[in-house]
């Protein structure tokens, strides 16, 4: 089983057993899955330390793109922060782009599906952003919003 800190915290709040998978979290209800994926605790904490409150808006993605990438100094934290950045990107897309929805691929890999049918691998985009700064989160969002 994958170890995701946000999943452990979600399970505690919802009284779920350790064996619950992200794909089945929330009883298969889209709202439960969206709630689980939107937590992004590490990213929210690191952004907060730099004075940025993440409000699930496109403007917050632009603000994240402007933060100094201090997380790159910690090779253990970088993949976790990148994962959170991707989930946060997906959350903003699902919250603000009409018809965008979360889908969980087999194996628990979350993607965002747009009305056009295009799937965005937001976690991959978040990992690339955390490691290299490209593509910018706001750029991925803008492309999704145009689709």
């Amino acid at each position: 089983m994958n170890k995701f800190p946000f999943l452990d915290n979600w399970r505690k709040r919802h009284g779920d057993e350790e064996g619950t998978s992200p794909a089945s979290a929330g009883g298969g209800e889209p709202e439960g899955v969206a709630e689980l994926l939107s937590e992004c605790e590490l990213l929210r904490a690191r952004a907060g330390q730099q004075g940025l409150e993440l409000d699930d808006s496109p403007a917050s993605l632009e603000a994240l793109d402007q933060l100094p990438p201090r997380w790159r100094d910690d090779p253990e934290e970088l993949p976790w922060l990148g994962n959170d950045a991707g989930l946060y990107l997906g959350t903003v897309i699902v919250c603000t782009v009409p018809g965008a929805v979360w889908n969980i691929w087999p194996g628990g890999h979350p993607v965002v599906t747009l009305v056009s049918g295009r799937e965005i691998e937001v976690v991959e985009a978040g990992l690339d952003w955390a490691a290299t700064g490209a593509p910018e989160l706001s750029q991925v969002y803008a492309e999704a919003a145009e689709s």
Side-chain angles (χ1 to χ4, degrees), residues 18-44:
E18 176 126 2
T20 302
S21 72
S24 64
E29 298 174 13
E31 297 82 18
V33 173
E35 178 186 343
L36 170 64
L37 297 175
S38 70
E39 292 203 0
C40 314
E41 287 185 35
L42 179 60
L43 179 69
R44 290 180 191 275

Side-chain angles (χ1 to χ4, degrees), residues 40 43-64 67 88 92:
C40 314
L43 179 69
R44 290 180 191 275
R46 294 299 174 262
Q49 289 170 349
Q50 296 188 46
L52 174 60
E53 182 180 340
L54 301 180
D55 61 2
D56 300 350
S57 71
S60 67
L61 294 173
E62 292 175 15
L64 277 171
L67 289 179
Y88 184 71
V92 174

Side-chain angles (χ1 to χ4, degrees), residues 37-127:
L37 297 175
S38 70
E39 292 203 0
C40 314
E41 287 185 35
L42 179 60
L43 179 69
R44 290 180 191 275
R46 294 299 174 262
Q49 289 170 349
Q50 296 188 46
L52 174 60
E53 182 180 340
L54 301 180
D55 61 2
D56 300 350
S57 71
S60 67
L61 294 173
E62 292 175 15
L64 277 171
D65 287 337
Q66 301 306 310
L67 289 179
R70 295 185 181 124
W71 55 84
R72 292 187 193 140
D73 296 335
D74 186 345
E76 290 184 23
E77 186 173 279
L78 189 139
W80 294 106
L81 190 118
N83 186 74
D84 273 12
L87 295 176
Y88 184 71
L89 169 63
T91 296
V92 174
I93 293 170
V94 168
C95 287
T96 61
V97 175
V101 296
W102 282 109
N103 278 308
I104 308 296
W105 285 352
H109 184 81
V111 297
V112 172
T113 304
L114 304 175
V115 170
S116 67
R118 178 177 166 221
E119 291 183 321
I120 302 172
E121 294 188 39
V122 291
V123 171
E124 311 317 339
L127 290 167

